[in-house]
Amino acid sequence: MWAQLAEVGRASSGGYLRFGFTEPDLVNRAWFVEQAKGRGLEVETDRNGNQWAWWGSGRTDAVVTGSHLDSVPHGGAFDGPLGVVSAFLAVDALREQGFMPGKPIGIVNFAEEEGSRFGVACLGSRLACGALDPEKALALMDERNVTLRQALLDAELDPDDIGPDPDRVNGISAFVEVHVEQGKALAHTEHSVALASAIWPHGRWQFDFAGEANHAGTTALVDRHDPMIAYASTVLAARQAAQAHGGVATFGKVHALPNATNAVAEQVTAWLDCRAPDEELLVSIVDEIRAQSNSASARHAVGLAVVEQSRTAIVEFDQALRDRLNGALGNIPVLPTGAGHDAGVLSAHVPTAMVFVRNPTGHSHSPLESASVADCLVGIDALVTVLKDLAG
Ligand SMILES: [Zn+2]
Protein backbone atom coordinates (compact mmCIF):
# COMPACT_ATOMS: atom_id res chain seq x y z
CA MET A 1 0.00 0.00 0.00
CA TRP A 2 2.88 2.31 0.82
CA ALA A 3 4.44 1.65 -2.56
CA GLN A 4 1.17 2.47 -4.32
CA LEU A 5 1.13 5.90 -2.72
CA ALA A 6 4.87 6.55 -2.93
CA GLU A 7 4.98 8.33 -6.28
CA VAL A 8 1.63 10.16 -6.15
CA GLY A 9 2.23 13.91 -6.20
CA ARG A 10 5.91 13.48 -5.41
CA ALA A 11 8.09 16.50 -6.21
CA SER A 12 11.79 16.50 -7.07
CA SER A 13 12.40 17.60 -3.46
CA GLY A 14 11.27 14.14 -2.39
CA GLY A 15 8.30 15.79 -0.70
CA TYR A 16 4.65 15.68 -1.73
CA LEU A 17 2.32 18.16 -3.41
CA ARG A 18 -1.07 16.66 -2.63
CA PHE A 19 -3.41 19.58 -2.12
CA GLY A 20 -7.13 19.07 -1.65
CA PHE A 21 -8.95 18.09 -4.87
CA THR A 22 -5.90 18.61 -7.10
CA GLU A 23 -4.83 15.81 -9.43
CA PRO A 24 -2.59 13.93 -6.95
CA ASP A 25 -5.28 14.16 -4.26
CA LEU A 26 -7.84 12.80 -6.71
CA VAL A 27 -5.48 9.89 -7.44
CA ASN A 28 -5.23 9.22 -3.71
CA ARG A 29 -8.98 9.46 -3.32
CA ALA A 30 -9.45 6.90 -6.09
CA TRP A 31 -6.93 4.70 -4.27
CA PHE A 32 -9.02 5.00 -1.09
CA VAL A 33 -12.11 3.80 -2.97
CA GLU A 34 -10.12 0.92 -4.46
CA GLN A 35 -8.79 -0.12 -1.04
CA ALA A 36 -12.27 -0.05 0.46
CA LYS A 37 -13.87 -1.97 -2.41
CA GLY A 38 -11.06 -4.52 -2.45
CA ARG A 39 -11.97 -5.32 1.14
CA GLY A 40 -15.70 -5.40 0.50
CA LEU A 41 -16.19 -2.27 2.60
CA GLU A 42 -19.02 0.06 1.69
CA VAL A 43 -17.48 3.33 0.51
CA GLU A 44 -19.09 6.74 0.24
CA THR A 45 -18.22 10.42 -0.07
CA ASP A 46 -20.07 12.68 2.34
CA ARG A 47 -21.54 16.07 1.45
CA ASN A 48 -18.24 17.79 2.40
CA GLY A 49 -15.95 15.65 0.27
CA ASN A 50 -14.73 13.41 3.10
CA GLN A 51 -14.47 9.73 2.17
CA TRP A 52 -15.75 6.92 4.38
CA ALA A 53 -15.32 3.14 4.21
CA TRP A 54 -17.54 1.03 6.43
CA TRP A 55 -17.25 -2.41 7.99
CA GLY A 56 -20.48 -3.58 9.58
CA SER A 57 -24.03 -2.38 9.10
CA GLY A 58 -25.69 0.69 10.56
CA ARG A 59 -24.13 4.11 10.95
CA THR A 60 -24.87 4.82 14.61
CA ASP A 61 -22.60 4.30 17.61
CA ALA A 62 -19.78 3.88 15.09
CA VAL A 63 -16.10 3.60 15.95
CA VAL A 64 -14.16 5.61 13.39
CA THR A 65 -10.48 5.76 12.57
CA GLY A 66 -8.49 7.28 9.71
CA SER A 67 -6.78 10.56 8.90
CA HIS A 68 -6.11 12.47 5.68
CA LEU A 69 -4.33 11.91 2.36
CA ASP A 70 -3.53 15.51 1.43
CA SER A 71 -0.19 17.16 2.23
CA VAL A 72 1.46 20.49 2.90
CA PRO A 73 3.73 21.76 0.10
CA HIS A 74 6.68 19.34 0.00
CA GLY A 75 5.31 17.41 2.97
CA GLY A 76 6.46 14.00 4.09
CA ALA A 77 5.05 10.59 3.25
CA PHE A 78 3.58 9.80 6.66
CA ASP A 79 1.59 12.83 7.80
CA GLY A 80 -1.92 11.73 6.96
CA PRO A 81 -1.44 8.56 4.90
CA LEU A 82 -0.06 6.65 7.91
CA GLY A 83 -3.43 6.98 9.66
CA VAL A 84 -5.38 5.83 6.61
CA VAL A 85 -3.08 2.94 5.71
CA SER A 86 -2.99 1.83 9.39
CA ALA A 87 -6.80 1.87 9.48
CA PHE A 88 -7.14 -0.45 6.48
CA LEU A 89 -4.42 -2.77 7.81
CA ALA A 90 -6.04 -2.84 11.26
CA VAL A 91 -9.28 -4.01 9.63
CA ASP A 92 -7.31 -6.73 7.81
CA ALA A 93 -5.72 -7.85 11.07
CA LEU A 94 -9.05 -7.88 12.92
CA ARG A 95 -10.58 -10.02 10.18
CA GLU A 96 -7.65 -12.43 10.28
CA GLN A 97 -8.27 -12.77 13.99
CA GLY A 98 -11.93 -13.58 13.32
CA PHE A 99 -13.12 -10.44 15.08
CA MET A 100 -16.75 -9.51 14.44
CA PRO A 101 -17.44 -5.84 15.19
CA GLY A 102 -20.35 -5.24 17.53
CA LYS A 103 -20.43 -1.64 16.31
CA PRO A 104 -19.81 -0.37 12.78
CA ILE A 105 -16.16 0.50 12.13
CA GLY A 106 -15.54 3.41 9.80
CA ILE A 107 -12.36 4.50 8.01
CA VAL A 108 -12.27 8.14 7.01
CA ASN A 109 -10.16 10.30 4.71
CA PHE A 110 -10.83 13.91 5.66
CA ALA A 111 -10.64 16.45 2.80
CA GLU A 112 -8.04 19.27 2.66
CA GLU A 113 -6.82 18.70 6.24
CA GLU A 114 -3.65 20.71 5.77
CA GLY A 115 -5.43 23.70 4.28
CA SER A 116 -2.61 23.93 1.73
CA ARG A 117 -4.89 24.84 -1.13
CA PHE A 118 -7.64 27.01 0.38
CA GLY A 119 -5.93 28.33 3.51
CA VAL A 120 -8.29 26.76 6.05
CA ALA A 121 -6.94 23.70 7.85
CA CYS A 122 -9.26 20.74 8.52
CA LEU A 123 -11.66 22.03 5.87
CA GLY A 124 -13.67 18.79 5.53
CA SER A 125 -14.05 18.09 9.23
CA ARG A 126 -14.79 21.74 10.06
CA LEU A 127 -17.58 21.83 7.50
CA ALA A 128 -19.03 18.53 8.77
CA CYS A 129 -18.96 19.79 12.36
CA GLY A 130 -20.52 23.15 11.49
CA ALA A 131 -17.33 24.96 12.48
CA LEU A 132 -17.03 26.73 9.11
CA ASP A 133 -19.70 28.69 7.27
CA PRO A 134 -20.42 26.91 3.93
CA GLU A 135 -20.91 30.16 2.01
CA LYS A 136 -17.58 31.52 3.23
CA ALA A 137 -15.93 28.21 2.45
CA LEU A 138 -17.24 28.10 -1.12
CA ALA A 139 -15.74 31.53 -1.78
CA LEU A 140 -12.25 30.50 -0.60
CA MET A 141 -9.73 30.77 -3.40
CA ASP A 142 -6.54 28.90 -4.18
CA GLU A 143 -3.37 30.42 -5.62
CA ARG A 144 -4.76 30.17 -9.14
CA ASN A 145 -7.98 31.95 -8.16
CA VAL A 146 -10.00 28.75 -8.33
CA THR A 147 -12.76 28.85 -5.72
CA LEU A 148 -13.62 25.90 -3.52
CA ARG A 149 -16.97 25.91 -5.31
CA GLN A 150 -15.23 25.34 -8.64
CA ALA A 151 -12.82 22.78 -7.17
CA LEU A 152 -15.73 20.74 -5.84
CA LEU A 153 -17.50 20.94 -9.20
CA ASP A 154 -14.30 19.83 -10.93
CA ALA A 155 -14.14 16.86 -8.54
CA GLU A 156 -17.75 16.04 -9.43
CA LEU A 157 -19.02 16.97 -5.98
CA ASP A 158 -22.03 19.19 -5.30
CA PRO A 159 -20.93 22.51 -3.78
CA ASP A 160 -24.49 23.42 -2.81
CA ASP A 161 -24.64 20.38 -0.56
CA ILE A 162 -21.71 21.24 1.74
CA GLY A 163 -22.28 22.18 5.36
CA PRO A 164 -23.01 20.75 8.79
CA ASP A 165 -23.59 17.01 8.82
CA PRO A 166 -24.91 16.41 12.37
CA ASP A 167 -26.35 12.95 11.66
CA ARG A 168 -23.00 11.68 10.50
CA VAL A 169 -21.05 13.33 13.31
CA ASN A 170 -23.51 12.24 16.00
CA GLY A 171 -23.35 8.69 14.66
CA ILE A 172 -19.72 8.44 15.82
CA SER A 173 -19.16 7.08 19.34
CA ALA A 174 -15.37 7.43 19.19
CA PHE A 175 -12.75 8.65 16.71
CA VAL A 176 -9.16 7.45 17.00
CA GLU A 177 -6.53 8.86 14.65
CA VAL A 178 -3.12 7.26 14.18
CA HIS A 179 -0.57 9.90 13.18
CA VAL A 180 3.17 10.17 12.81
CA GLU A 181 4.66 12.10 15.72
CA GLN A 182 5.57 15.66 14.72
CA GLY A 183 8.32 16.22 17.25
CA LYS A 184 11.10 14.26 18.90
CA ALA A 185 9.51 13.36 22.24
CA LEU A 186 9.60 9.62 21.52
CA ALA A 187 12.87 9.58 19.59
CA HIS A 188 15.02 8.98 22.63
CA THR A 189 12.66 6.65 24.51
CA GLU A 190 12.00 2.93 24.16
CA HIS A 191 8.39 3.69 23.16
CA SER A 192 7.15 3.28 19.60
CA VAL A 193 3.80 4.95 20.23
CA ALA A 194 2.21 7.55 22.50
CA LEU A 195 -1.22 9.01 23.19
CA ALA A 196 -2.11 12.67 22.69
CA SER A 197 -3.20 14.73 25.67
CA ALA A 198 -4.06 18.05 24.07
CA ILE A 199 -3.63 20.21 20.99
CA TRP A 200 -2.34 23.70 21.62
CA PRO A 201 -4.64 26.57 20.62
CA HIS A 202 -3.50 28.00 17.30
CA GLY A 203 -4.41 30.28 14.45
CA ARG A 204 -3.42 31.89 11.17
CA TRP A 205 -3.22 35.60 10.46
CA GLN A 206 -2.68 37.37 7.13
CA PHE A 207 -0.50 40.49 7.19
CA ASP A 208 -0.75 42.87 4.24
CA PHE A 209 1.96 45.50 4.04
CA ALA A 210 1.21 48.19 1.45
CA GLY A 211 4.13 50.27 0.24
CA GLU A 212 5.20 51.95 -2.97
CA ALA A 213 7.05 50.31 -5.84
CA ASN A 214 10.13 52.20 -6.91
CA HIS A 215 13.58 51.88 -8.47
CA ALA A 216 16.10 50.00 -6.28
CA GLY A 217 18.95 52.14 -7.62
CA THR A 218 17.59 55.63 -7.88
CA THR A 219 15.21 55.91 -4.90
CA ALA A 220 16.92 57.37 -1.85
CA LEU A 221 16.41 55.40 1.33
CA VAL A 222 14.62 58.29 2.93
CA ASP A 223 12.08 58.43 0.10
CA ARG A 224 11.10 54.78 0.27
CA HIS A 225 7.89 53.18 1.48
CA ASP A 226 9.37 49.71 1.68
CA PRO A 227 6.94 47.05 2.97
CA MET A 228 9.74 44.48 3.07
CA ILE A 229 11.37 46.28 6.01
CA ALA A 230 8.13 46.35 7.99
CA TYR A 231 7.63 42.69 7.19
CA ALA A 232 11.18 41.79 8.25
CA SER A 233 10.70 43.60 11.58
CA THR A 234 7.47 41.66 12.06
CA VAL A 235 9.22 38.32 11.52
CA LEU A 236 11.78 39.19 14.19
CA ALA A 237 9.03 40.41 16.54
CA ALA A 238 7.21 37.10 16.08
CA ARG A 239 10.27 35.15 17.13
CA GLN A 240 10.78 37.36 20.15
CA ALA A 241 7.14 37.28 21.30
CA ALA A 242 6.94 33.50 20.93
CA GLN A 243 10.13 33.05 22.91
CA ALA A 244 8.92 35.38 25.66
CA HIS A 245 5.63 33.50 26.11
CA GLY A 246 6.63 29.87 25.58
CA GLY A 247 4.80 29.44 22.28
CA VAL A 248 5.78 29.22 18.62
CA ALA A 249 5.21 31.78 15.86
CA THR A 250 6.12 31.30 12.23
CA PHE A 251 6.07 33.28 9.01
CA GLY A 252 6.54 30.47 6.50
CA LYS A 253 4.72 31.95 3.54
CA VAL A 254 5.26 35.31 1.89
CA HIS A 255 4.36 36.98 -1.40
CA ALA A 256 6.07 40.11 -2.65
CA LEU A 257 4.94 42.33 -5.51
CA PRO A 258 6.32 42.93 -8.06
CA ASN A 259 8.90 40.43 -6.76
CA ALA A 260 11.76 41.95 -8.72
CA THR A 261 15.40 42.13 -7.64
CA ASN A 262 15.80 45.72 -8.76
CA ALA A 263 12.57 47.16 -7.38
CA VAL A 264 11.44 48.25 -3.94
CA ALA A 265 8.40 46.08 -3.29
CA GLU A 266 4.98 47.60 -3.59
CA GLN A 267 3.18 45.00 -1.53
CA VAL A 268 4.17 42.20 0.84
CA THR A 269 1.63 39.68 2.03
CA ALA A 270 2.70 37.20 4.68
CA TRP A 271 0.99 34.62 6.83
CA LEU A 272 1.59 34.14 10.53
CA ASP A 273 1.02 30.76 12.14
CA CYS A 274 0.96 31.00 15.93
CA ARG A 275 0.49 28.33 18.63
CA ALA A 276 0.81 28.35 22.40
CA PRO A 277 0.12 26.19 25.46
CA ASP A 278 -3.04 28.17 26.31
CA GLU A 279 -5.36 30.85 24.90
CA GLU A 280 -4.03 33.65 27.04
CA LEU A 281 -0.46 33.10 25.88
CA LEU A 282 -1.60 32.85 22.27
CA VAL A 283 -3.41 36.19 22.50
CA SER A 284 -0.39 37.81 24.19
CA ILE A 285 1.95 36.62 21.44
CA VAL A 286 -0.27 37.75 18.57
CA ASP A 287 -1.03 41.10 20.23
CA GLU A 288 2.66 41.76 20.70
CA ILE A 289 3.46 40.87 17.10
CA ARG A 290 0.68 43.14 15.83
CA ALA A 291 1.87 46.03 17.98
CA GLN A 292 5.45 45.68 16.77
CA SER A 293 4.26 45.31 13.19
CA ASN A 294 2.15 48.45 13.49
CA SER A 295 4.99 50.56 14.77
CA ALA A 296 7.44 49.20 12.18
CA SER A 297 4.91 49.92 9.43
CA ALA A 298 4.38 53.45 10.74
CA ARG A 299 8.14 54.04 10.90
CA HIS A 300 8.51 53.10 7.25
CA ALA A 301 5.31 54.81 6.06
CA VAL A 302 3.78 51.53 5.05
CA GLY A 303 0.11 50.57 5.36
CA LEU A 304 -0.76 47.48 7.39
CA ALA A 305 -3.88 45.32 7.50
CA VAL A 306 -4.06 42.17 9.62
CA VAL A 307 -6.83 39.63 9.15
CA GLU A 308 -7.41 36.62 11.36
CA GLN A 309 -7.95 33.74 8.93
CA SER A 310 -8.60 30.96 11.37
CA ARG A 311 -8.47 30.38 15.07
CA THR A 312 -8.77 27.10 16.95
CA ALA A 313 -9.26 26.79 20.71
CA ILE A 314 -7.26 24.37 22.84
CA VAL A 315 -8.34 20.76 22.48
CA GLU A 316 -8.12 18.49 25.50
CA PHE A 317 -8.66 14.97 24.26
CA ASP A 318 -11.43 13.03 26.02
CA GLN A 319 -10.06 11.86 29.36
CA ALA A 320 -12.26 8.76 29.64
CA LEU A 321 -11.32 7.58 26.14
CA ARG A 322 -7.66 8.33 26.80
CA ASP A 323 -7.76 6.35 30.05
CA ARG A 324 -9.43 3.48 28.25
CA LEU A 325 -6.81 3.49 25.47
CA ASN A 326 -4.01 3.79 27.98
CA GLY A 327 -5.40 0.79 29.83
CA ALA A 328 -5.70 -1.24 26.64
CA LEU A 329 -2.24 -0.24 25.39
CA GLY A 330 -0.46 -0.63 28.72
CA ASN A 331 0.62 2.77 29.93
CA ILE A 332 2.32 4.49 27.05
CA PRO A 333 3.60 8.08 27.12
CA VAL A 334 1.07 10.91 26.86
CA LEU A 335 2.11 14.01 24.88
CA PRO A 336 0.63 17.41 24.01
CA THR A 337 1.09 18.61 20.44
CA GLY A 338 1.32 21.94 18.70
CA ALA A 339 -0.17 20.52 15.50
CA GLY A 340 -3.84 20.71 14.54
CA HIS A 341 -5.79 17.64 13.43
CA ASP A 342 -9.27 16.57 12.36
CA ALA A 343 -9.41 14.70 15.70
CA GLY A 344 -9.20 18.11 17.35
CA VAL A 345 -12.11 19.48 15.32
CA LEU A 346 -14.24 16.41 16.00
CA SER A 347 -13.44 16.49 19.71
CA ALA A 348 -16.02 19.24 20.24
CA HIS A 349 -18.70 16.71 19.29
CA VAL A 350 -17.46 13.17 19.93
CA PRO A 351 -14.81 11.56 22.16
CA THR A 352 -11.57 11.54 20.18
CA ALA A 353 -8.06 10.26 20.74
CA MET A 354 -4.78 10.16 18.86
CA VAL A 355 -2.01 7.58 18.74
CA PHE A 356 1.36 9.00 17.72
CA VAL A 357 3.98 6.81 16.03
CA ARG A 358 7.62 7.64 16.76
CA ASN A 359 9.40 9.86 14.24
CA PRO A 360 13.17 9.45 14.71
CA THR A 361 14.06 12.64 12.86
CA GLY A 362 11.39 14.72 14.61
CA HIS A 363 10.89 16.48 11.25
CA SER A 364 7.35 17.20 10.14
CA HIS A 365 5.84 18.92 7.10
CA SER A 366 9.12 18.06 5.41
CA PRO A 367 10.44 15.18 3.30
CA LEU A 368 12.71 14.28 6.26
CA GLU A 369 9.72 13.12 8.31
CA SER A 370 10.08 9.40 8.99
CA ALA A 371 8.89 6.34 10.87
CA SER A 372 10.36 2.84 10.88
CA VAL A 373 8.36 -0.09 9.56
CA ALA A 374 8.64 -1.70 12.99
CA ASP A 375 7.14 1.35 14.71
CA CYS A 376 4.37 1.64 12.11
CA LEU A 377 3.48 -1.99 12.81
CA VAL A 378 3.32 -1.24 16.54
CA GLY A 379 0.97 1.63 15.67
CA ILE A 380 -1.27 -0.76 13.70
CA ASP A 381 -1.21 -3.26 16.57
CA ALA A 382 -2.23 -0.48 18.95
CA LEU A 383 -5.10 0.45 16.64
CA VAL A 384 -6.18 -3.22 16.46
CA THR A 385 -6.26 -3.38 20.27
CA VAL A 386 -8.19 -0.13 20.52
CA LEU A 387 -10.75 -1.05 17.84
CA LYS A 388 -11.33 -4.44 19.48
CA ASP A 389 -11.90 -2.73 22.80
CA LEU A 390 -14.17 0.03 21.45
CA ALA A 391 -16.12 -1.88 18.79
CA GLY A 392 -16.25 -5.32 20.39
ZN1 LIG B 1 -1.74 15.28 9.62
Side-chain angles (χ1 to χ4, degrees), residues 67-68 70 78-81 113-114 177-180 182 339-342 354 364-365 369:
S67 193
H68 60 95
D70 68 318
F78 296 86
D79 186 347
E113 191 272 347
E114 300 287 9
E177 180 171 0
V178 172
H179 203 280
V180 68
Q182 292 170 283
H341 298 283
D342 296 306
M354 294 190 74
S364 176
H365 289 179
E369 169 194 276

mmCIF file of all heavy atoms in Angstrom, residues 67-68 70 78-81 113-114 177-180 182 339-342 354 364-365 369, ligand 1:
data_model
loop_
_atom_site.group_PDB
_atom_site.id
_atom_site.type_symbol
_atom_site.label_atom_id
_atom_site.label_comp_id
_atom_site.label_asym_id
_atom_site.label_seq_id
_atom_site.Cartn_x
_atom_site.Cartn_y
_atom_site.Cartn_z
ATOM 1 N N SER A 67 -7.556 9.322 8.825
ATOM 2 C CA SER A 67 -6.778 10.559 8.900
ATOM 3 C C SER A 67 -7.016 11.318 7.599
ATOM 4 O O SER A 67 -8.165 11.468 7.198
ATOM 5 C CB SER A 67 -5.299 10.213 9.127
ATOM 6 O OG SER A 67 -4.549 11.341 9.486
ATOM 7 N N HIS A 68 -5.964 11.715 6.924
ATOM 8 C CA HIS A 68 -6.112 12.473 5.680
ATOM 9 C C HIS A 68 -5.048 12.048 4.690
ATOM 10 O O HIS A 68 -4.014 11.503 5.077
ATOM 11 C CB HIS A 68 -6.013 13.977 5.949
ATOM 12 C CG HIS A 68 -4.693 14.401 6.554
ATOM 13 N ND1 HIS A 68 -3.643 14.873 5.791
ATOM 14 C CD2 HIS A 68 -4.240 14.391 7.828
ATOM 15 C CE1 HIS A 68 -2.619 15.147 6.590
ATOM 16 N NE2 HIS A 68 -2.949 14.859 7.834
ATOM 17 N N ASP A 70 -4.126 14.324 2.056
ATOM 18 C CA ASP A 70 -3.527 15.508 1.432
ATOM 19 C C ASP A 70 -2.236 15.868 2.180
ATOM 20 O O ASP A 70 -1.933 15.285 3.225
ATOM 21 C CB ASP A 70 -4.510 16.695 1.433
ATOM 22 C CG ASP A 70 -4.793 17.224 2.834
ATOM 23 O OD1 ASP A 70 -4.970 16.399 3.746
ATOM 24 O OD2 ASP A 70 -4.821 18.462 3.028
ATOM 25 N N PHE A 78 4.332 10.438 5.582
ATOM 26 C CA PHE A 78 3.580 9.800 6.661
ATOM 27 C C PHE A 78 2.421 10.638 7.198
ATOM 28 O O PHE A 78 1.418 10.088 7.651
ATOM 29 C CB PHE A 78 4.534 9.471 7.828
ATOM 30 C CG PHE A 78 5.590 8.468 7.452
ATOM 31 C CD1 PHE A 78 6.777 8.870 6.856
ATOM 32 C CD2 PHE A 78 5.389 7.118 7.671
ATOM 33 C CE1 PHE A 78 7.744 7.953 6.499
ATOM 34 C CE2 PHE A 78 6.347 6.183 7.318
ATOM 35 C CZ PHE A 78 7.542 6.597 6.724
ATOM 36 N N ASP A 79 2.599 11.945 7.215
ATOM 37 C CA ASP A 79 1.590 12.833 7.804
ATOM 38 C C ASP A 79 0.283 12.694 7.022
ATOM 39 O O ASP A 79 0.155 13.222 5.920
ATOM 40 C CB ASP A 79 2.087 14.282 7.781
ATOM 41 C CG ASP A 79 1.138 15.223 8.517
ATOM 42 O OD1 ASP A 79 0.006 14.813 8.824
ATOM 43 O OD2 ASP A 79 1.543 16.368 8.777
ATOM 44 N N GLY A 80 -0.647 11.993 7.621
ATOM 45 C CA GLY A 80 -1.924 11.725 6.965
ATOM 46 C C GLY A 80 -2.029 10.280 6.511
ATOM 47 O O GLY A 80 -2.724 9.481 7.148
ATOM 48 N N PRO A 81 -1.298 9.929 5.433
ATOM 49 C CA PRO A 81 -1.442 8.563 4.902
ATOM 50 C C PRO A 81 -1.200 7.457 5.942
ATOM 51 O O PRO A 81 -1.836 6.409 5.868
ATOM 52 C CB PRO A 81 -0.389 8.514 3.775
ATOM 53 C CG PRO A 81 -0.326 9.929 3.293
ATOM 54 C CD PRO A 81 -0.498 10.775 4.525
ATOM 55 N N GLU A 113 -7.146 18.544 4.826
ATOM 56 C CA GLU A 113 -6.823 18.696 6.242
ATOM 57 C C GLU A 113 -5.754 19.759 6.457
ATOM 58 O O GLU A 113 -5.783 20.518 7.414
ATOM 59 C CB GLU A 113 -6.356 17.353 6.826
ATOM 60 C CG GLU A 113 -6.241 17.348 8.341
ATOM 61 C CD GLU A 113 -4.891 17.795 8.895
ATOM 62 O OE1 GLU A 113 -3.916 17.893 8.122
ATOM 63 O OE2 GLU A 113 -4.801 18.057 10.103
ATOM 64 N N GLU A 114 -4.767 19.794 5.559
ATOM 65 C CA GLU A 114 -3.648 20.713 5.766
ATOM 66 C C GLU A 114 -3.999 22.152 5.414
ATOM 67 O O GLU A 114 -3.280 23.072 5.771
ATOM 68 C CB GLU A 114 -2.431 20.265 4.943
ATOM 69 C CG GLU A 114 -1.911 18.863 5.290
ATOM 70 C CD GLU A 114 -1.186 18.804 6.640
ATOM 71 O OE1 GLU A 114 -1.226 19.798 7.389
ATOM 72 O OE2 GLU A 114 -0.596 17.757 6.936
ATOM 73 N N GLU A 177 -7.377 8.575 15.799
ATOM 74 C CA GLU A 177 -6.527 8.865 14.645
ATOM 75 C C GLU A 177 -5.093 8.457 14.945
ATOM 76 O O GLU A 177 -4.507 8.900 15.934
ATOM 77 C CB GLU A 177 -6.600 10.374 14.322
ATOM 78 C CG GLU A 177 -5.736 10.784 13.125
ATOM 79 C CD GLU A 177 -5.978 12.228 12.655
ATOM 80 O OE1 GLU A 177 -6.824 12.923 13.259
ATOM 81 O OE2 GLU A 177 -5.311 12.646 11.692
ATOM 82 N N VAL A 178 -4.543 7.597 14.091
ATOM 83 C CA VAL A 178 -3.117 7.259 14.182
ATOM 84 C C VAL A 178 -2.361 8.284 13.337
ATOM 85 O O VAL A 178 -2.763 8.590 12.214
ATOM 86 C CB VAL A 178 -2.840 5.835 13.652
ATOM 87 C CG1 VAL A 178 -1.338 5.570 13.573
ATOM 88 C CG2 VAL A 178 -3.513 4.799 14.549
ATOM 89 N N HIS A 179 -1.285 8.832 13.883
ATOM 90 C CA HIS A 179 -0.566 9.904 13.178
ATOM 91 C C HIS A 179 0.915 9.807 13.495
ATOM 92 O O HIS A 179 1.291 9.468 14.614
ATOM 93 C CB HIS A 179 -1.108 11.266 13.643
ATOM 94 C CG HIS A 179 -0.871 12.368 12.665
ATOM 95 N ND1 HIS A 179 0.344 13.016 12.567
ATOM 96 C CD2 HIS A 179 -1.688 12.924 11.744
ATOM 97 C CE1 HIS A 179 0.252 13.936 11.618
ATOM 98 N NE2 HIS A 179 -0.961 13.907 11.098
ATOM 99 N N VAL A 180 1.742 10.123 12.527
ATOM 100 C CA VAL A 180 3.175 10.175 12.806
ATOM 101 C C VAL A 180 3.427 11.306 13.803
ATOM 102 O O VAL A 180 2.784 12.359 13.735
ATOM 103 C CB VAL A 180 3.986 10.367 11.502
ATOM 104 C CG1 VAL A 180 3.754 11.749 10.894
ATOM 105 C CG2 VAL A 180 5.467 10.122 11.740
ATOM 106 N N GLN A 182 5.056 14.502 15.448
ATOM 107 C CA GLN A 182 5.568 15.662 14.722
ATOM 108 C C GLN A 182 6.660 16.386 15.491
ATOM 109 O O GLN A 182 7.016 17.516 15.175
ATOM 110 C CB GLN A 182 4.403 16.571 14.331
ATOM 111 C CG GLN A 182 3.538 15.879 13.288
ATOM 112 C CD GLN A 182 2.244 16.598 13.010
ATOM 113 O OE1 GLN A 182 1.304 16.525 13.792
ATOM 114 N NE2 GLN A 182 2.185 17.300 11.907
ATOM 115 N N ALA A 339 0.382 20.673 16.848
ATOM 116 C CA ALA A 339 -0.170 20.517 15.497
ATOM 117 C C ALA A 339 -1.673 20.290 15.546
ATOM 118 O O ALA A 339 -2.162 19.563 16.404
ATOM 119 C CB ALA A 339 0.502 19.339 14.798
ATOM 120 N N GLY A 340 -2.393 20.903 14.624
ATOM 121 C CA GLY A 340 -3.841 20.715 14.540
ATOM 122 C C GLY A 340 -4.184 19.433 13.796
ATOM 123 O O GLY A 340 -3.392 18.943 12.990
ATOM 124 N N HIS A 341 -5.363 18.886 14.072
ATOM 125 C CA HIS A 341 -5.789 17.639 13.429
ATOM 126 C C HIS A 341 -7.306 17.608 13.342
ATOM 127 O O HIS A 341 -7.998 18.244 14.135
ATOM 128 C CB HIS A 341 -5.324 16.432 14.256
ATOM 129 C CG HIS A 341 -3.841 16.321 14.382
ATOM 130 N ND1 HIS A 341 -3.047 15.853 13.369
ATOM 131 C CD2 HIS A 341 -3.011 16.628 15.399
ATOM 132 C CE1 HIS A 341 -1.785 15.872 13.766
ATOM 133 N NE2 HIS A 341 -1.733 16.342 14.993
ATOM 134 N N ASP A 342 -7.814 16.777 12.435
ATOM 135 C CA ASP A 342 -9.265 16.569 12.361
ATOM 136 C C ASP A 342 -9.795 16.042 13.691
ATOM 137 O O ASP A 342 -10.917 16.353 14.083
ATOM 138 C CB ASP A 342 -9.592 15.588 11.236
ATOM 139 C CG ASP A 342 -9.214 16.144 9.871
ATOM 140 O OD1 ASP A 342 -9.653 17.264 9.536
ATOM 141 O OD2 ASP A 342 -8.467 15.470 9.142
ATOM 142 N N MET A 354 -5.803 10.314 19.892
ATOM 143 C CA MET A 354 -4.777 10.156 18.864
ATOM 144 C C MET A 354 -3.661 9.263 19.372
ATOM 145 O O MET A 354 -3.276 9.344 20.535
ATOM 146 C CB MET A 354 -4.197 11.512 18.454
ATOM 147 C CG MET A 354 -5.205 12.403 17.751
ATOM 148 S SD MET A 354 -4.431 13.871 17.032
ATOM 149 C CE MET A 354 -3.577 13.160 15.615
ATOM 150 N N SER A 364 8.745 17.307 10.562
ATOM 151 C CA SER A 364 7.353 17.195 10.139
ATOM 152 C C SER A 364 7.081 18.270 9.103
ATOM 153 O O SER A 364 7.712 19.316 9.112
ATOM 154 C CB SER A 364 6.450 17.382 11.351
ATOM 155 O OG SER A 364 5.112 17.375 10.955
ATOM 156 N N HIS A 365 6.121 18.019 8.227
ATOM 157 C CA HIS A 365 5.839 18.921 7.105
ATOM 158 C C HIS A 365 7.116 19.114 6.289
ATOM 159 O O HIS A 365 7.412 20.221 5.822
ATOM 160 C CB HIS A 365 5.259 20.265 7.590
ATOM 161 C CG HIS A 365 3.850 20.115 8.095
ATOM 162 N ND1 HIS A 365 3.115 21.151 8.595
ATOM 163 C CD2 HIS A 365 3.040 19.025 8.156
ATOM 164 C CE1 HIS A 365 1.909 20.715 8.954
ATOM 165 N NE2 HIS A 365 1.850 19.425 8.700
ATOM 166 N N GLU A 369 10.601 13.836 7.374
ATOM 167 C CA GLU A 369 9.716 13.118 8.306
ATOM 168 C C GLU A 369 9.883 11.614 8.093
ATOM 169 O O GLU A 369 10.017 11.158 6.974
ATOM 170 C CB GLU A 369 8.295 13.547 7.952
ATOM 171 C CG GLU A 369 7.187 12.767 8.577
ATOM 172 C CD GLU A 369 5.878 13.102 7.856
ATOM 173 O OE1 GLU A 369 5.278 14.112 8.218
ATOM 174 O OE2 GLU A 369 5.492 12.378 6.922
HETATM 175 ZN ZN ZN B 1 -1.738 15.276 9.624
#
